[in-house]
Amino acid sequence: MDVNAAVAAAAAIAGLCTGVIAMLAFRWSERDQARPTRTSLHTDAVLPPGVDTVLSVLRSSAVVLDESDSVVKASSAAYALGLVRGGKLAVEPMLHMARDTRRDGEIRQVELDLPRRGTGRGEALAVSARVAPLGSRLVLLLVEDLTEARRIEAVRRGFVANVSPELKTPTGALSLLSEAVMDASDDPEAVTRFAGRMQIEATRLTNLVQELIDLSRVQNDNPLEDAEPVRVDELVAEAIDRSRHSASTKQITMAAGGTADLHVWGNRGQLAAALGNLVENAVNYSPARTRVGISARRVAAPGGDLIEIAVTDQGIGISEKERERVFERFYRVDPARSRATGGTGLGLAIVKHVAASHGGEVTVWSSEGQGSTFTLRLPEAGAVRDRSSTGPDRVDEDDDRPYDTDPNAEIPAPEVLP
């Protein structure tokens, strides 16, 4: 009996100890769960309720700083702009603004030009920074990227500055010529001469307005939604017909050649205007009794076959410095010649935007005194090619025919059009 009692007593004592230990462990676990973690100290426990959600939906880059200038919360856009590095605000002027706002509670705003990360060209990143107090200890910094807005504004100002004199020139000429006609009402020959000049200036003004309209339609470079297969042969024939009169006047021979029965995806009107501009430029900038060639071929590309349409002239050529700017609006290699031929300086800009909106590109090769080659590359309408008749019409990328290198090169199987 004494042994049994001793065993029972020992079991009771062991159970009591186990219960005490379990209770202590439970209490310790509750304390650990209630203790704030490092993450909660910097987000949930510090930020006022709802602020984290609001910051996550803002388009601006957001940074929240505590009293020690440490970053409590930062959006992904803030990291992408390089505002936050190593848990600290990396832009010194913004840091000074935050400290001043923490001290006096006033809201501050400033526009800054910051160096762009990862570029060695010194390009500036234009931003607008606004600092405001957030509670008693935190400071909120909102940064808006103004780079694209400033670029668009600069383009708009440049466009207005360029188009104003272009519009004033023909309208001013029409005004003066109309006065001359009124003064020469008793001289039929003078009236006829002035009326002819008025027609020229009116045509120039009409062309300028039309090209401004065309440029406004394609300058967004948005992909086409209503693309269709377009025959390259028809585009070439239309471009040649458009410049036939001016070429005949200068005794310039136009030759078309290359691979037949090619198709591209796109808007027929825009493609015809783009290729027409290239051919017209080639004729206008070529001396008399020279040759302009238009050729088309298929080339292999990783994303699908492309159609290359090359326009080659034997004109004055383009210097390397000017070659980078020929696709700018209103830029002219030879302003005097361009005005004499009625050029507006918008033709190549339209070509560039048409190519971009069709998923292609336009490039230029040129040598001063020898001529130029403008090459329009566009995606091929593959379904039409599959249905077409078989024939030796494929040209690989390593084809050595110098469409893009030599303006005097022969174009295979040319069809001479006087």
Side-chain angles (χ1 to χ4, degrees), residues 347-361:
L348 292 180
I350 292 175
V351 174
K352 182 188 72 172
H353 289 294
V354 168
S357 64
H358 283 71
E361 64 174 351

Side-chain angles (χ1 to χ4, degrees), residues 227-246:
E228 60 179 356
V230 180
R231 286 181 58 90
V232 175
D233 295 341
E234 294 178 358
L235 296 177
V236 173
E238 186 173 337
I240 290 176
D241 188 65
R242 171 176 164 179
S243 300
R244 188 185 302 276
H245 176 71
S246 55

Side-chain angles (χ1 to χ4, degrees), residues 65-70 95 97-106 108 131 133 136-139:
L65 303 175
D66 62 13
E67 62 273 12
S68 62
D69 293 332
S70 296
L95 189 59
M97 288 174 57
R99 291 169 179 170
D100 294 339
T101 297
R102 186 184 300 110
R103 184 179 62 253
D104 54 27
E106 293 186 5
R108 290 174 168 81
V131 181
S136 59
R137 296 183 299 131
L138 304 181
V139 173

Side-chain angles (χ1 to χ4, degrees), residues 121 163 365:
R121 295 174 292 180
V163 77
W365 174 94

Side-chain angles (χ1 to χ4, degrees), residues 56-318:
S56 65
V57 298
L58 288 177
R59 298 183 62 182
S60 304
S61 302
V63 180
V64 178
L65 303 175
D66 62 13
E67 62 273 12
S68 62
D69 293 332
S70 296
V71 175
V72 175
K73 177 75 176 178
S75 64
S76 58
Y79 287 99
L81 291 178
L83 304 180
V84 178
R85 299 176 191 171
K88 295 290 185 179
L89 185 62
V91 183
E92 198 66 26
M94 296 182 186
L95 189 59
H96 289 315
M97 288 174 57
R99 291 169 179 170
D100 294 339
T101 297
R102 186 184 300 110
R103 184 179 62 253
D104 54 27
E106 293 186 5
I107 298 176
R108 290 174 168 81
Q109 184 169 354
V110 67
E111 292 189 1
L112 301 170
D113 291 332
L114 307 178
R116 193 183 292 268
R117 294 182 63 187
T119 62
R121 295 174 292 180
E123 296 179 353
L125 186 70
V127 298
S128 173
R130 185 178 178 87
V131 181
L134 186 63
S136 59
R137 296 183 299 131
L138 304 181
V139 173
L140 173 63
L141 171 67
L142 295 178
V143 180
E144 190 77 23
D145 188 356
L146 304 178
T147 307
E148 183 65 14
R150 284 192 180 181
R151 187 191 68 80
I152 294 175
E153 178 63 20
V155 170
R156 186 191 65 81
R157 289 197 302 267
F159 179 78
V160 172
N162 286 325
V163 77
S164 298
E166 297 294 337
L167 289 172
K168 286 181 179 179
T169 299
T171 53
L174 286 172
S175 177
L176 293 175
L177 288 169
S178 64
E179 293 178 3
V181 169
M182 294 178 62
D183 294 340
S185 57
D186 55 347
D187 186 351
E189 292 184 1
V191 170
T192 302
R193 185 172 66 255
F194 292 143
R197 289 295 306 168
M198 291 178 68
Q199 288 183 342
I200 294 175
E201 296 299 333
T203 301
R204 176 177 295 177
L205 182 59
T206 301
N207 292 339
L208 176 58
V209 172
Q210 183 59 51
E211 291 199 343
L212 285 172
I213 294 173
D214 293 341
L215 182 61
S216 67
R217 289 174 177 171
V218 301
Q219 65 181 351
N220 291 330
D221 298 343
N222 294 328
L224 298 175
E225 297 181 355
D226 55 349
E228 60 179 356
V230 180
R231 286 181 58 90
V232 175
D233 295 341
E234 294 178 358
L235 296 177
V236 173
E238 186 173 337
I240 290 176
D241 188 65
R242 171 176 164 179
S243 300
R244 188 185 302 276
H245 176 71
S246 55
S248 177
T249 302
K250 299 173 66 175
Q251 299 181 6
I252 293 176
T253 301
M254 291 190 291
T259 306
D261 198 27
L262 298 177
H263 295 76
V264 295
W265 281 111
N267 181 288
R268 191 183 189 285
Q270 293 182 11
L271 292 174
L275 186 57
N277 287 343
L278 292 180
V279 175
E280 187 176 23
N281 272 6
V283 172
N284 289 339
Y285 286 89
S286 293
R289 294 179 294 278
T290 56
R291 182 172 177 269
V292 171
I294 306 99
S295 63
R297 66 172 182 170
R298 179 186 297 115
V299 296
D305 288 353
L306 298 176
I307 301 300
E308 284 190 351
I309 308 175
V311 179
T312 303
D313 64 60
Q314 297 172 318
I316 60 176
I318 307 170

